[in-house]
Amino acid sequence: MIYKIAVDGPAGSGKSSLSKVIAANNNILFFSSGIFYRACAFILNGTDINDTQKIKSMLESHVLKFQDDFLIMDGEKMNQLLFTNEISTLASTYSSVPFVREYVNNILRSIAKDKSVILEGRDIGTVVFKDAELKFYLKASVLERARRRQKDLEKTSEKSNLLYLAKEIIKRDWRDKHRKMDPLKKAKDAIVISTRNKTLLDVTSEVQIRINEFLKCKK
Ligand code: DC
C-alpha cells in the first residue's frame, strides 16, 4: 500500500527530526521541502523578487535532487551552505514568489510519485499532498524552537545568540503565515502534536500510534 504523511509546522518545531525517525521505523521515504526553498534562495540570492523572468531562468538552469539527507545541486552536496541564518531568512522571502512555489512543488511531487513518503514543510497537508492519508501539525514555543535552531547552527559552527534567534523565528513565522500564496496553516484534518517539554521519543511514539491505527484500518 502506498501512503503519504504530511508534517507541517513553524520553523524549529522538530518536523525533520520526527520525520526522519518515522521514515526509518516504517521503511518509507523522508524528504524535506524547506531544503528546496533554501536551495532556491541560495541560487536567487540578490535577485529582484518581482523579476519572475530572471527567477525562472536562474532556477531552470540548475538541477536539484534530494539524496540520503542531502540536497544535491548540479551534483554537489549543498547542506552546509543552506542551513545558515542568512539563507533561512532568504528562503522565507523567496518562498512567497508563486513561480518558486510551483517549481519546488513540481520537484516534490515527482520525487514522491508512486512511493510511500513522509514529507515535512509548511503547506504539505494543505497544498502539496492535500489528499495525504495522514497529516500532522507540530507546535512548540518560540524559545524551544530558538534553542533547537541554536543547536543546529552550532553543528555548522555558526554562533548565535538565543534572543536574536527567537526574534528571527518570530519574524519568519509572520512571513510564512502571512504570504499570499500557500501560507503556513494547519490543515483542517491535521492532528495537532505539541512538542512542548517532550523528548523526540515521546513525540515519535505519539505519531507512531496514529500511524499504526491507520495501517491497521487499511489491512
Ligand atoms: O523548513 P525550513 O526552515 O528549512 O524552511 C525554510 C523556509 O522555506 C521557510 O521559512 C519557508 C519556506 N518553506 C515554504 O514556504 N514552504 C514549505 N513547504 C517549506 C518551507
Side-chain angles (χ1 to χ4, degrees):
M1 188 204 5
I2 289 176
Y3 60 96
K4 311 268 191 252
I5 305 177
V7 180
D8 289 303
S13 53
K15 304 180 296 284
S16 279
S17 312
L18 164 76
S19 304
K20 274 181 206 166
V21 177
I22 293 292
N25 290 349
N26 295 277
N27 202 16
I28 61 176
L29 178 70
F30 155 73
F31 63 110
S32 148
S33 58
I35 204 165
F36 283 95
Y37 285 100
R38 288 173 183 271
C40 291
F42 181 87
I43 296 167
L44 298 172
N45 193 353
T47 309
D48 178 358
I49 197 165
N50 298 308
D51 192 344
T52 310
Q53 251 344 84
K54 179 122 190 258
I55 288 177
K56 193 167 184 285
S57 77
M58 286 180 81
L59 291 182
E60 287 178 346
S61 65
H62 295 279
V63 178
L64 304 182
K65 288 184 188 161
F66 190 76
Q67 221 168 43
D68 304 327
D69 245 11
F70 284 97
L71 188 292
I72 318 279
M73 182 170 97
D74 307 327
E76 297 279 334
K77 287 183 178 171
M78 297 293 291
N79 289 29
Q80 205 148 24
L81 295 168
L82 301 181
F83 287 94
T84 63
N85 245 333
E86 188 197 4
I87 294 290
S88 298
T89 305
L90 285 173
S92 176
T93 305
Y94 283 111
S95 66
S96 65
V97 177
F99 179 79
V100 174
R101 304 205 70 79
E102 216 177 283
Y103 174 81
V104 171
N105 287 348
N106 284 338
I107 301 176
L108 301 177
R109 291 186 182 120
S110 81
I111 297 175
K113 197 167 181 267
D114 302 328
K115 289 186 196 88
S116 288
V117 300
I118 180 162
L119 175 60
E120 60 91 357
R122 304 290 189 288
D123 62 339
I124 311 304
T126 51
V127 178
V128 184
F129 297 148
K130 238 183 174 159
D131 301 327
E133 281 75 5
L134 279 159
K135 299 179 185 178
F136 295 97
Y137 188 89
L138 263 53
K139 275 168 69 169
S141 71
V142 169
L143 199 59
E144 270 178 303
R145 295 193 280 133
R147 280 207 194 97
R148 229 174 253 144
R149 191 80 200 107
Q150 195 174 36
K151 271 196 193 154
D152 286 346
L153 286 172
E154 275 165 10
K155 282 183 213 153
T156 61
S157 66
E158 194 179 339
K159 286 223 167 62
S160 326
N161 165 292
L162 193 63
L163 189 63
Y164 170 78
L165 286 178
K167 282 186 187 161
E168 288 296 301
I169 279 184
I170 292 170
K171 280 194 231 158
R172 194 139 73 96
D173 281 355
W174 196 91
R175 268 194 308 268
D176 292 348
K177 286 179 179 169
H178 292 88
R179 64 167 175 253
K180 258 197 198 140
M181 192 175 171
D182 310 338
L184 164 66
K185 64 174 183 224
K186 184 188 98 57
K188 282 198 185 93
D189 48 351
I191 299 164
V192 177
I193 306 275
S194 165
T195 64
R196 201 182 184 125
N197 297 327
K198 289 181 193 159
T199 64
L200 178 58
L201 184 62
D202 294 335
V203 181
T204 46
S205 307
E206 212 173 316
V207 167
Q208 190 61 50
I209 289 171
R210 302 294 191 137
I211 298 172
N212 293 346
E213 282 167 3
F214 159 74
L215 293 173
K216 210 166 139 193
C217 287
K218 291 286 157 189
K219 266 191 187 158

